[in-house]
Each structure stands twice: as structure tokens, then as C-alpha cells.
Amino acid sequence: MREINVKEITEAVKNLCMNANYDLSDDVMTAFRRGLETEESPAGRGVFEALIENAEIAREERIPICQDTGFAVFFVELGQDVHIESGLLTDAINEGVRQGYGEGYLRKSICDPFTRKNTGDNTPAVINISLVSGDRLKIIAAPKGGGSTNMSRVTMLKPADGIEGIKNYVVQRAIEAGPNPCPPVIIGVGIGGTLELASLIAKKALLRPLGTTNPDPQLAEIEGDILKRVNDTGMGPQGFGGRIYAMGVHIEKFPCHIASLPLAVNICCHASRHKEIIL
Amino acid sequence: MSDIIRLTTPLSDSDVGELKAGDQVLISGILYTARDAAHKRLIDLLDQGKELPFDISGQIIYYVGPAPARPGKVIGPAGPTTSYRMDPYAPRLMEMGLKGMIGKGSRSSGVIEAMKRYRCVYFAAIGGAAALIARSIKKVDIVAYEDLGTEAIRRLEVEDFKTVVVNDIHGNDLYKDGKEKYCIEGN
Ligand code: SF4
């Protein structure tokens, strides 16, 4: 049994919140540079130029790349041989969010759904915990903006809709989202499971580094097909017209009930923020 | 892409009439910020027959909820929010003299019709380029609704604030035109 004090967790979460928002990861920066080289439309190239400059400013000045610093979403993998000392894991994470969003000059964007009153410190966080073997604690922060989340959907297709039905739905969703979710986007797709699991794996799919494909060749092929069709629409960066609307399509699948075919589409803007730490 | 156009607020009817979808425009002068909650309050005031907290005629509203400023900065990152959420309110403000809106994403057909009728232009700023955009904001004052925090109405003094015209008053739409131009057969 290994002991981890909640103070250590809070400190780690605080830093994750700030760094995820200030420091766009290299996989996304690489995709921007590739976009700048390959995008045909001048307006589209202008967008990539601005996004590269924006990320550089944010990193240098330690300010967020986007003013919407997101809902604080975490994926936590807790080793079964870890004992959390002096408090609750979820409290420790929420305290880290409170400190990170406060001290890090991040925007507080969480409110009551009815009164719309802001909670004032960006809590509560959304925390997904899974138990794993070992004595380590892995925390992944994946803050998500409201604009691109609003363009995401979950649906229950009929089993008869099959792979074609899945592809058509995702492409149609991208067309309807259009310029709203700040393209160039990354499209996370969760296939199977239950209503809630499909959504969760669609979000998890977004954590995969941009530029990689699913190791399953069939899923990799579907990813490629959807990406081509979405980009062939011509919507382009910011919807100004061009070749690159999406920088990647990431699919994850899970077995589902014989009666159903759940499908979730989580559209993530170019501000695809995620940072992780292992304690 | 056309040459870059420079405009200073307030905008006149002729400034607005000359703009075409796809034009790159650098705006200097004043922008007023407002998003969901502030719009709701503005419309409530109009419903009660009261005055707006600022003179809206010829002005531009920027849909933004900035991040907090670090010490020594005038504002935190401040990129556009998605505009369609302001669609239910926008025509009333155009009726009051609003000449421009800055945001990101598509507008409803009702708003686009109102833009033609009241001569108002919709500009896009680059969504997510918030740290870069903040550099063109030189001064910030809160005008109303301080209790709304990031959603308060702020008066921004801007210099060469980068925008692209999405919807002009002649019915052109950059999102439609751009997509058609680069669309590959079958989509
Ligand atoms: S969709 Fe993403 S990039 Fe656009 S404003 Fe929201 S968080 Fe920022």
C-alpha cells in the first residue's frame, strides 16, 4: 500500500489546469504547421498562422490560449494499491481546480443551469475515475470549451444503420456544426456501449495524440473516410472555406446491446487541451 | 482575398454599405462587449421602455467573455464566443442603431434579414486565437452589469482589431461562398 497525501494531488491538479490552458501540446502545434503548409485557401492559411502565433504568445506569457478555459474534466486512473491520505480524492481535485483557475487567471465558466449563477471558482469538476492495478495515480486534465461541446451530439442508431449510417451521421454533424466549434477541429467518435458510455469514449478518443490512427485497421479506415468526407465539404479553417475543417477523426468502440447502436460525436476545437501527471 | 480595409468606430451607413463578405477589416476605436446574460438584460430594459446603458447607435458589439487579466495587463485572452446564442436578441439592437457584431459561427436567417433591413454587418474574429486578439485591446472599462463578471458589458478601446466580414448588408455570406468554392464534388 502506497500513501498519497491529498495536498500532493491538489498541487498537481492546480498545475495541470494552468499548464493545459497555457501550453498547447506539440501534436496540435505540429498539425497547425502541417496545415499552414498544405491548406490551399489563403484565408485558411491565415487562420493557421494566427493559431501558431496565438499558441506561442500563450506559452510565453503564461496566459490561456483561449478565453474559454473550459469545464475542468479529469480522467483519473487510481492504482488499487494506493491509499489516499487526509481526505477525499474528489475534494482534492476540486480544490486543485479552485486554486488553478483562481491563481492561474483562468476564466470561471461554470454556472447553475436554471439561475445561471456562476459558481465562482470553476468547480465542480467532472471526474471520471477508474481503478487499475499498481500503486500509482495518473491524472489527466482535459478542459473542454462550451462552444465546441454545444456542437457535439449523442444518438441511438439502429443496428441496421451499420458503418455507413455511422459515417453519414458524423459527417452530417460536422456540416451542421459548420464554423461554430472553431475549426480546425478534432472529431472524437464513440461507438457502442450505452448512451453514457458512448459519450465517455468519444471524449476519451480525443486524448489520443493528433496525427495517430486507431491501431485497429478497420477503425483506422473509417477514421480516414470520415476525415476525407468532412474536409471535402470545403468548409475549411474557421468555416472561411478551404481544405482543412478537421485535423483528425478519432474513433473508439465498445461492445453494445443487441438492440442498439449508440453513437457519440464529441467535436473538439483546435484548442485541444490535455495534460497528464503520474503520482 | 481583397485588400485590407481600415475602419474606425462609430460606423456610418456608408461604411457599412461598402463592406463585402470576405473583406478583411482592421477595426479601431470602441467595441462594446456583451454575451448571453448581458443581452438578456439589454432586451429587458428595452421591453420596459428604459434606456440602454450606452449609446448603441453606430456601435459594434463584440461577443466575448474575457479571461481575467494578469497584473499589468489590460485584459486577459479575449476571443469571440459563438454568435447564434445572441440571435434572439440581435435584431432588437439593430433596430436601436447597432451597426456591427463580432463573433464566430453562423447566424439565423432572421438575423441575416434584419442585417439587410437595418444595415448592420457581421464580422468574424478568429475563434480560439484569444491571446493574440487581446494584444489589439488597449483599454478596458466596465460599462454595466459588473455582477456578471466575465459577462459584464465592457467598453474596449481597440487598435487594428482583426476581423473578416461574414455577412454583409447585401445578403452575401462568407461561410456559404467559402464552402462552395472549396467543396469537392459529391459533398
Ligand atoms: S470552441 Fe474552443 S477555441 Fe473556440 S472559443 Fe470555445 S474553447 Fe475556445
Side-chain angles (χ1 to χ4, degrees), chain A residues 22 41-43 50 53-54 61-62 64-65 67 105-107 151 179-180 182 229 232-234 238-243 270, chain B residues 1 35 65 68-71 73 77 79 84 104-106 127-132 135 150 174-175 178-179 182-184 187:
Chain A
Y22 302 155
S41 112
E53 196 185 345
N54 183 64
E61 297 186 8
R62 308 241 333 134
I65 44 179
Q67 78 289 338
Y105 299 92
L106 307 182
R107 197 181 78 180
M151 293 298 115
N180 294 358
C182 293
R229 281 177 59 188
D232 282 355
T233 59
Q238 297 285 306
F240 294 162
R243 282 279 66 84
H270 58 77
Chain B
M1 277 280 135
R35 39 174 294 157
R70 272 197 186 273
K73 300 244 173 211
Y84 73 87
K104 59 154 170 128
S106 319
L132 176 64
R135 290 203 163 171
T150 182
L174 171 64
Y175 293 142
K179 184 176 167 194
Y182 289 93
C183 177
I184 290 173
N187 279 282

Side-chain angles (χ1 to χ4, degrees), chain B residues 6 15 26 35 37 40 49 58 81-82 97 115 122 130 133 138 151 155 160 173 175 178 183:
Chain B
R6 287 194 141 78
D15 289 335
L26 295 177
R35 39 174 294 157
K40 187 164 185 300
T81 193
T82 324
M115 287 172 54
Y122 173 49
I133 289 171
K138 304 299 173 190
E151 298 206 49
R155 182 179 185 274
D160 289 343
D173 185 335
Y175 293 142
C183 177

Side-chain angles (χ1 to χ4, degrees), chain B residues 3-174:
Chain B
D3 293 341
I4 291 173
I5 297 167
R6 287 194 141 78
L7 279 182
T8 303
T9 64
L11 303 184
S12 67
D13 269 350
S14 74
D15 289 335
V16 164
E18 278 166 27
L19 295 174
K20 295 266 156 22
D23 283 349
Q24 300 183 61
V25 184
L26 295 177
I27 300 172
S28 296
I30 303 300
L31 304 177
Y32 289 94
T33 73
R35 39 174 294 157
D36 312 57
H39 270 81
K40 187 164 185 300
R41 290 197 189 175
L42 292 178
I43 299 302
D44 285 348
L45 284 179
L46 292 178
D47 284 346
Q48 294 159 18
K50 293 187 180 149
E51 290 225 334
L52 296 178
F54 62 97
D55 180 5
I56 200 169
S57 112
Q59 300 300 336
I60 299 177
I61 290 183
Y62 179 25
Y63 302 146
V64 61
R70 272 197 186 273
K73 300 244 173 211
V74 296
I75 197 166
T81 193
T82 324
S83 306
Y84 73 87
R85 299 193 315 270
M86 271 53 79
D87 284 354
Y89 310 115
R92 279 293 287 288
L93 299 178
M94 293 181 218
E95 206 183 323
M96 301 301 294
L98 183 71
K99 285 291 156 209
M101 302 167 282
I102 305 175
K104 59 154 170 128
S106 319
R107 308 310 298 263
S108 69
S109 53
V111 169
I112 292 172
E113 275 313 305
M115 287 172 54
K116 291 194 235 171
R117 184 165 351 117
Y118 299 113
R119 301 178 73 86
C120 177
V121 169
Y122 173 49
F123 305 89
I126 294 183
L132 176 64
I133 289 171
R135 290 203 163 171
S136 53
I137 301 170
K138 304 299 173 190
K139 191 167 179 280
V140 179
D141 294 299
I142 292 196
V143 172
Y145 314 142
E146 195 162 3
D147 62 298
L148 292 180
T150 182
E151 298 206 49
I153 296 185
R154 292 172 169 81
R155 182 179 185 274
L156 310 182
E157 264 179 53
V158 299
E159 260 173 50
D160 289 343
F161 185 100
K162 238 178 155 175
T163 65
V164 181
V165 177
V166 173
N167 297 103
D168 58 31
I169 64 164
H170 314 289
N172 301 303
D173 185 335
L174 171 64

Side-chain angles (χ1 to χ4, degrees), chain A residues 49-71:
Chain A
E49 241 165 38
L51 295 182
I52 292 168
E53 196 185 345
N54 183 64
E56 285 167 352
I57 294 171
R59 188 174 296 174
E60 247 164 59
E61 297 186 8
R62 308 241 333 134
I63 57 174
I65 44 179
C66 183
Q67 78 289 338
D68 184 351
T69 50
F71 213 126

